Amino acid sequence: MQARLERLEAVQDAILAISRISASGNDISGFLREVHQIIGRIMYAANFYVALYDAADNTIRFVYEVDEVDAPLDPEKRFTLQSAEESPTASVILNRKPLVMTAEQDSHKAWGYGTRSEHWIGYPLLDQFRNAFGAMVIQSYRADQLYTEEDQALFGLIAAHVSATLQSLRSVDQLEHLVRERTAALHQQIEEKQRAETLQRVLYQIAELSIVTSVGDRKFARLHQIIGQLIPVPNFMVALFEPATSEFRIAYFVDEIDGDQTGIRFPLGRGLTSYVVQSRQAQLFSRERLERMSASGEIEILGNLSAYSWMGAPLLADEHLFGVIIIQSYHPDLSYTDADLELLSFVASHVAAALARLQASEALGKSNRELTETLQALTTAQSELIHQEKLASLGRLVAGVAHEINTPLGIVVTATSHLAEEVQLTRQALQQGTLTQKMLEEFFDICDESLRILTTNSQRGAALVRSFKQVAVDQSHDAARHFDLKRYLDETLLALQPKLRLRQVKITLNCPDNLQLHTYPGAVSQILTNLVMNSLTHGLENISEASIRIQVRLEQATVFLDYEDNGCGMSAENLQHLFEPFFTTRRGQGGSGLGAHIVYNLVTGLLGGQIKAYSEAGQGLRYEIRFPKTHKSLAGSGI
């Protein structure tokens, strides 16, 4: 009996340990490594692996593997999943059922590869829809190390815990990855917007140039400077075309090798400049293309052949040729690209429009429309990112509560199994006539203890479910209703307990009893959740005695909610940007910069209130939030 009680205690310790690391883990391989160590404390586990299945491409990855005989596989490499008849791992995943094999049973199978074991146990990893997303396997190559039925049942119980945790880790990873992708896409759009703004500024500057006034005008030098804002132009030439004589005249010339050629005339013929004009489109030449076309006689080089990269764009407006712009590089580390050529061609068309005093307003209007569309796209992308951030917040809340519920449920399952086994043993002793008074008393003691464990943990699980249910519904749906503020804040904090307990943060809530509100509880829950998560992520990370204080009071018809932590605080400069979208002090470390922005929008928008933040470096962060007790849209409605 003592041995069995010790065994039960060891199993309970193992389940609790797995629950603890489930709540704190954020890395799949690290989590599985700790699970492997825990399993090794209660059974033989020298050979253990976990394979994850991707139904989209029918592949598996052996994300964690320890084996005494076979070399472990690359955890990043994907393998096509075999059929259930070809692989025991595939059988577990595809059939969604456990598989237990002895060496004799294994010998009758034509499995794919791997050393045969004396005892092999595999359990499927199932999601909430009972779909398999992997398998967890333990095996022994030694005939003296076989697994009992109790070991098999225990391994299945652990597999269920691992399934829930892995599903949560994968879900959170996917949400965070999506947020990072959308943030990166938005950054790219911002860069494109800045590039568009630069281009817009260049176009305005070009429009201001009245460069057709005279040949000797220095405004071509200004054009050189303007184009230099977009691409490097160490060598630049503008040649104007005179249709009366079919000649080009160099109006502006800057070159690192050749001397000043300003004023020189040359005819329309077979040179590079003439080639660009005759093709009626911008041209890009590399050194190789120049040499090849010169050798074939397609073009004639009038100057030197030292350019590594050469671009030319005709100045055309309404099919009227005004001239050509030439840019070239003599250095191999500066080679122009097709994007540069496209940009030069674009600028040249606007220069031609300015020369003709036509199409300037149309070109500016087009650019303005493009900027407006870009801004609209950025606004849409920002709204989508905020929505994703809300979903990620709710996902983290779901994951934490799931971890927390797993603990009491696991203990209930274990205690129930133990109690059933003790009842069976006592019944057998009664039937065999070997039941003594001492055995009966011990049986009653076990029943009392098991029932106490069952009652305590089932009540704990029910309380968690009740508190989480309403909070999750409110965060998912923007609906106004009557609710008790203190009770609702308690429920929200209870749902956040897994995160708070992990960081050992003390929360103090002072709120009047029976404070009835008629507004949007989902917004209140989201605000509190974001403030607490921001404190945990940014403010309280390295604080030994971390604490959060929440003070609520009612003055007339306005709710005042003060939130304060004793974290590292913020500098005055950072505090000015706190509520801006995408501002974060954890750039590149998982911070999206949307948490405080969402809080600001919920307070000032949905709740119709105000929010202010106060902080100094090393002095914590304090928020003062005020909003109507009854939302203005519902006031006087009788709802």
Side-chain angles (χ1 to χ4, degrees):
M1 182 61 65
Q2 182 64 28
R4 297 195 62 80
L5 288 175
E6 291 176 355
R7 171 71 166 175
L8 175 60
E9 184 178 354
V11 170
Q12 290 178 340
D13 289 343
I15 297 299
L16 288 172
I18 291 177
S19 297
R20 283 195 297 270
I21 64 173
S22 297
S24 61
N26 56 11
D27 173 63
I28 291 179
S29 61
F31 166 72
L32 293 176
R33 186 180 303 107
E34 293 190 59
V35 169
H36 183 199
Q37 294 173 356
I38 293 171
I39 294 175
R41 300 172 194 164
I42 56 177
M43 69 176 69
Y44 178 75
N47 305 281
F48 173 83
Y49 69 84
V50 173
L52 295 184
Y53 173 57
D54 189 347
D57 56 4
N58 194 40
T59 60
I60 60 173
R61 288 189 302 126
F62 293 86
V63 295
Y64 182 83
E65 182 179 9
V66 174
D67 198 284
E68 294 175 300
V69 178
D70 295 330
L73 299 171
D74 182 359
E76 297 300 325
K77 186 175 182 180
R78 294 183 177 271
F79 300 87
T80 300
L81 184 67
Q82 297 175 303
S83 67
E85 292 74 29
E86 295 176 311
S87 164
T89 304
S91 175
V92 170
I93 294 174
L94 296 176
N95 294 326
R96 294 180 292 176
K97 295 180 180 179
L99 178 62
V100 180
M101 294 187 305
T102 62
E104 180 179 0
Q105 293 169 332
D106 191 14
S107 64
H108 298 297
K109 297 286 187 178
W111 301 125
Y113 54 86
T115 305
R116 304 296 185 188
S117 58
E118 291 294 327
H119 209 176
W120 192 95
I121 304 173
Y123 271 81
L125 302 174
L126 304 175
D127 61 21
Q128 70 270 29
F129 303 109
R130 303 295 296 172
N131 295 318
F133 64 89
M136 190 170 82
V137 176
I138 192 171
Q139 58 184 328
S140 171
Y141 298 108
R142 298 167 52 180
D144 61 338
Q145 288 287 356
L146 302 181
Y147 299 101
T148 66
E149 291 184 359
E150 184 178 353
D151 291 335
Q152 298 172 27
L154 179 58
F155 190 71
L157 177 62
I158 294 175
H161 280 270
V162 171
S163 295
T165 301
L166 286 180
Q167 185 182 359
S168 299
L169 289 176
R170 294 174 76 197
S171 176
V172 171
D173 283 345
Q174 290 170 356
L175 287 173
E176 293 179 346
H177 179 68
L178 180 59
V179 170
R180 289 194 297 271
E181 283 186 340
R182 298 307 298 270
T183 302
L186 187 57
H187 287 165
Q188 182 179 357
Q189 291 176 345
I190 292 174
E191 291 178 357
E192 291 176 356
K193 178 178 177 294
Q194 292 173 342
R195 186 176 178 86
E197 289 175 346
T198 301
L199 182 58
Q200 178 70 32
R201 183 173 63 254
V202 166
L203 294 180
Y204 274 116
Q205 292 170 349
I206 291 174
E208 293 173 354
L209 293 176
S210 299
I211 57 177
V212 295
T213 53
S214 65
V215 175
D217 201 311
R218 297 296 300 171
K219 292 177 181 177
F220 284 121
R222 175 60 179 153
L223 176 63
H224 185 186
Q225 296 174 355
I226 292 171
I227 296 178
Q229 300 175 37
L230 301 173
I231 52 177
V233 283
N235 305 283
F236 185 77
M237 181 184 79
V238 176
L240 298 179
F241 183 69
E242 297 182 357
T245 58
S246 294
E247 288 183 327
F248 290 99
R249 183 159 54 97
I250 298 177
Y252 180 79
F253 189 89
V254 172
D255 195 275
E256 297 173 302
I257 296 179
D258 292 334
D260 187 9
Q261 304 288 319
T262 303
I264 292 181
R265 296 173 178 268
F266 58 93
L268 177 65
R270 296 176 51 244
L272 278 175
T273 302
S274 299
Y275 183 86
V276 170
V277 170
Q278 291 166 348
S279 67
R280 313 292 284 185
Q281 62 182 4
Q283 296 288 340
L284 173 63
F285 289 88
S286 63
R287 168 71 70 83
E288 293 75 14
R289 186 185 180 193
L290 284 171
E291 293 176 345
R292 184 175 63 255
M293 294 184 68
S294 177
S296 65
E298 294 180 68
I299 59 174
E300 179 180 347
I301 303 299
L302 301 179
N304 65 70
L305 192 59
S306 302
Y308 277 93
S309 188
W310 189 99
M311 289 193 302
L315 299 174
L316 289 170
D318 294 332
E319 296 301 318
H320 180 75
L321 176 65
F322 287 92
V324 65
I325 295 177
I326 304 299
I327 297 174
Q328 60 181 330
S329 166
Y330 297 118
H331 304 285
D333 57 347
L334 175 57
S335 295
Y336 297 110
T337 65
D338 290 335
D340 297 328
L341 180 67
E342 183 178 355
L343 185 60
L344 177 63
S345 177
F346 183 72
V347 171
S349 67
H350 285 274
V351 171
L355 287 168
R357 299 179 184 273
L358 298 172
Q359 301 176 349
S361 60
E362 179 182 351
L364 292 175
K366 178 182 177 182
S367 298
N368 282 330
R369 288 193 298 272
E370 291 176 350
L371 286 175
T372 301
E373 292 173 358
T374 301
L375 182 60
Q376 291 174 348
L378 288 173
T379 303
T380 301
Q382 177 179 328
S383 299
E384 293 176 357
L385 275 175
I386 291 175
H387 180 64
Q388 292 294 339
E389 179 70 12
K390 288 184 178 180
L391 291 180
S393 175
L394 183 57
R396 290 191 291 269
L397 187 64
V398 171
V401 173
H403 293 325
E404 193 74 3
I405 292 177
N406 276 339
T407 300
L409 288 184
I411 294 174
V412 167
V413 171
T414 303
T416 303
S417 301
H418 177 65
L419 182 58
E421 185 176 352
E422 291 299 332
V423 169
Q424 182 179 1
L425 292 175
T426 304
R427 180 180 288 113
Q428 290 176 355
L430 179 61
Q431 293 173 351
Q432 296 171 2
T434 60
L435 182 64
T436 65
Q437 182 176 355
K438 182 178 179 180
M439 292 173 61
L440 187 59
E441 291 176 350
E442 291 177 348
F443 171 70
F444 285 143
D445 290 340
I446 292 174
C447 288
D448 288 341
E449 180 64 18
S450 298
L451 289 174
R452 184 187 65 78
I453 293 174
L454 288 172
T455 301
T456 300
N457 286 279
S458 60
Q459 290 175 347
R460 181 185 175 195
L464 285 169
V465 171
R466 283 195 303 270
S467 68
F468 170 70
K469 180 179 178 181
Q470 188 61 57
V471 172
V473 169
D474 287 336
Q475 285 199 18
S476 302
H477 302 85
D478 291 333
R481 64 178 176 86
H482 285 286
F483 63 99
D484 185 296
L485 180 59
K486 185 175 187 300
R487 183 181 303 171
Y488 195 75
L489 293 178
D490 283 334
E491 290 176 348
T492 302
L493 292 174
L494 181 59
L496 290 169
Q497 277 303 308
K499 297 292 186 182
L500 296 170
R501 189 181 300 111
L502 175 65
R503 301 289 291 277
Q504 297 181 346
V505 177
K506 179 183 178 182
I507 287 194
T508 303
L509 172 63
N510 294 318
C511 180
D513 294 329
N514 198 30
L515 178 52
Q516 301 294 321
L517 306 186
H518 192 182
T519 186
Y520 296 87
V524 175
S525 174
Q526 183 76 56
I527 289 168
L528 182 57
T529 299
N530 280 23
L531 292 181
V532 171
M533 294 307 299
N534 275 5
S535 292
L536 295 178
T537 303
H538 303 283
L540 302 174
E541 185 176 18
N542 299 313
I543 305 301
S544 57
E545 296 182 0
S547 66
I548 295 174
R549 185 179 65 85
I550 304 169
Q551 183 75 35
V552 181
R553 70 184 188 277
L554 180 66
E555 293 183 7
Q556 296 180 352
T558 301
V559 177
F560 290 78
L561 189 154
D562 295 337
Y563 176 99
E564 183 177 8
D565 66 38
N566 66 336
C568 62
M570 300 182 71
S571 65
E573 180 181 358
N574 286 339
L575 189 63
Q576 294 178 355
H577 304 285
L578 176 60
F579 296 119
E580 295 178 2
F582 312 112
F583 173 77
T584 176
T585 58
R586 297 289 297 276
R587 183 72 61 200
Q589 304 176 41
S592 67
L594 291 173
H597 179 63
I598 292 175
V599 169
Y600 181 86
N601 284 343
L602 290 174
V603 172
T604 60
L606 196 56
L607 295 183
Q610 299 175 349
I611 181 172
K612 294 181 179 179
Y614 304 89
S615 181
E616 293 180 9
Q619 300 299 316
L621 181 60
R622 178 167 60 91
Y623 294 89
E624 291 183 357
I625 301 173
R626 62 178 65 184
F627 57 93
K629 175 185 175 183
T630 301
H631 195 271
K632 60 182 180 181
S633 64
L634 306 172
S637 64
I639 298 178

